[in-house]
Amino acid sequence: MFHYIFIIRDRENRHDRQAAMACLVTGVYELENDREHRGRQLSRSEVDTNTAKWWTHFRYELEEMLVDHSENGNPTIFGAVYHFHLHDAPTGAATIVIAFRGTMKRKTDWKVNLMTYLGTLESHPRFTEGLKAVKRAVEEVGWERVCVTGHSKGAAIGLLVGRAMAEKGKLIEAHLFSLPHRAVRNERP
């Protein structure tokens, strides 16, 4: 598989960084697949080793799973907070990465997709929980060492979280993949 043979040779290289961020997002999809397969919420110690390889290969560890509890008692993992293993991350490496997954084929995800399309995603708990996670990370290590990444609907959440932080003067790094074109509101000053 791709993640077993990929090595970041140069953390300053944009393509290497994007590939690593894509793997971290895939880790979130795998966490949710693992949770769904077991039929219950996971603790960090229960994470399957094959799932963990999506982030341990890059020397990140799973700090926190971001869970959406808003869907009728059916919690779903929509994001993860990863922390770099070493105390001092190498130059160019984000110390904390917050990753958001996109849509999985289930009814509850499509409700959030509709909110993305309508431009009301900022009122959903996934946005508010994601923003709280980013704020905690910024408080812990500073905005220069925090990165947000996401795919599809997760990219929309990442964009909105990044914009909220930018409005406070904190320009966090972002790697967003397949961002829905409706995720960006047409705003005029």
Side-chain angles (χ1 to χ4, degrees):
M1 281 188 149
F2 165 73
H3 68 283
Y4 292 119
I5 60 172
F6 181 77
I7 298 171
I8 293 183
R9 292 182 181 88
D10 179 6
R11 290 186 184 276
E12 294 292 326
N13 182 308
R14 179 176 59 93
H15 300 292
D16 285 358
R17 290 170 69 100
Q18 286 180 334
M21 295 302 120
C23 286
L24 296 179
V25 172
T26 301
V28 180
Y29 281 103
E30 291 300 318
L31 283 168
E32 175 55 17
N33 282 332
D34 199 11
R35 183 212 60 82
E36 187 174 59
H37 177 73
R38 293 179 193 214
R40 62 180 172 77
Q41 201 56 43
L42 303 173
S43 68
R44 288 188 322 189
S45 63
E46 293 177 304
V47 172
D48 183 81
T49 54
N50 286 326
T51 299
K53 288 180 181 175
W54 286 103
W55 57 85
T56 57
H57 181 78
F58 301 102
R59 299 193 317 204
Y60 282 93
E61 59 188 42
L62 179 63
E63 183 88 6
E64 177 186 0
M65 290 177 267
L66 302 177
V67 180
D68 177 2
H69 294 279
S70 68
E71 297 299 331
N72 300 327
N74 184 22
T76 180
I77 299 169
F78 72 94
V81 179
Y82 300 106
H83 203 283
F84 200 78
H85 274 264
L86 304 174
H87 294 292
D88 296 314
T91 302
T95 303
I96 298 178
V97 176
I98 297 91
F100 303 103
R101 71 165 174 82
T103 301
M104 296 180 79
K105 294 181 180 178
R106 41 181 90 106
K107 188 184 281 185
T108 56
D109 269 1
W110 291 104
K111 291 177 188 176
V112 184
N113 286 353
L114 181 61
M115 293 181 80
T116 303
Y117 182 79
L118 296 173
T120 60
L121 188 56
E122 289 168 300
S123 64
H124 195 276
R126 292 187 189 188
F127 167 76
T128 54
E129 290 303 311
L131 184 59
K132 286 178 192 175
V134 170
K135 286 180 177 180
R136 286 191 304 270
V138 167
E139 287 176 17
E140 183 179 338
V141 298
W143 63 268
E144 302 90 348
R145 304 291 281 189
V146 174
C147 178
V148 172
T149 186
H151 170 256
S152 187
K153 175 180 53 205
I157 294 169
L159 177 73
L160 294 172
V161 166
R163 184 178 67 193
M165 296 305 292
E167 288 171 353
K168 297 178 188 267
K170 313 240 185 297
L171 305 176
I172 59 175
E173 178 182 351
H175 295 270
L176 307 174
F177 306 97
S178 300
L179 179 69
H181 69 279
R182 294 292 301 221
V184 182
R185 290 189 309 216
N186 293 325
E187 296 180 355
R188 294 189 177 161

